[in-house]
Amino acid sequence: MTERSEIGTMTGRYVDGNSLAGPLRELFAVDVTAADGRCASCGFDAPVATLLVFDHGPGLVARCPNCTEVVLRLVRSPDSAWLDLRGVVCLRLPIPPDGPATV
């Protein structure tokens, strides 16, 4: 942990983003299409599987089935993936009862 006197308006101790590796890997090890997502534009809550996905471009663009705003973008190359979730307020991911311990 590193002590900083001020970061923006926050003070205190923090660790770097590497500490997210384990928790995020555990989250994305599940079927994300079963997750409920909330549209940032209209607030509609529905499973990711209900998004309207347009796949005839260089990547995938998923739109809200309620308001048709862009919720998710995914572009892949042979060695990378770019995931843009700015159209999602939050995702609620189901985790099996014997899933990871909470942090």
Side-chain angles (χ1 to χ4, degrees), residues 18-82:
N18 288 308
S19 64
L20 295 171
L24 288 177
R25 178 164 163 59
E26 292 167 349
L27 290 178
F28 286 108
V30 299
D31 179 9
V32 178
T33 62
D36 286 333
R38 181 173 300 144
C39 176
S41 179
C42 71
F44 186 69
D45 258 325
V48 170
T50 66
L51 295 175
L52 309 174
V53 179
F54 297 84
D55 61 357
H56 45 269
L60 302 172
V61 175
R63 293 181 173 270
C64 174
N66 188 56
C67 71
T68 69
E69 286 296 318
V70 174
V71 173
L72 174 152
R73 293 177 187 98
L74 175 62
V75 177
R76 298 216 32 178
S77 73
D79 62 351
S80 299
W82 291 265

Side-chain angles (χ1 to χ4, degrees), residues 3-4 37 39 47 68 88:
E3 181 87 29
R4 293 279 174 115
C39 176
T68 69
V88 177

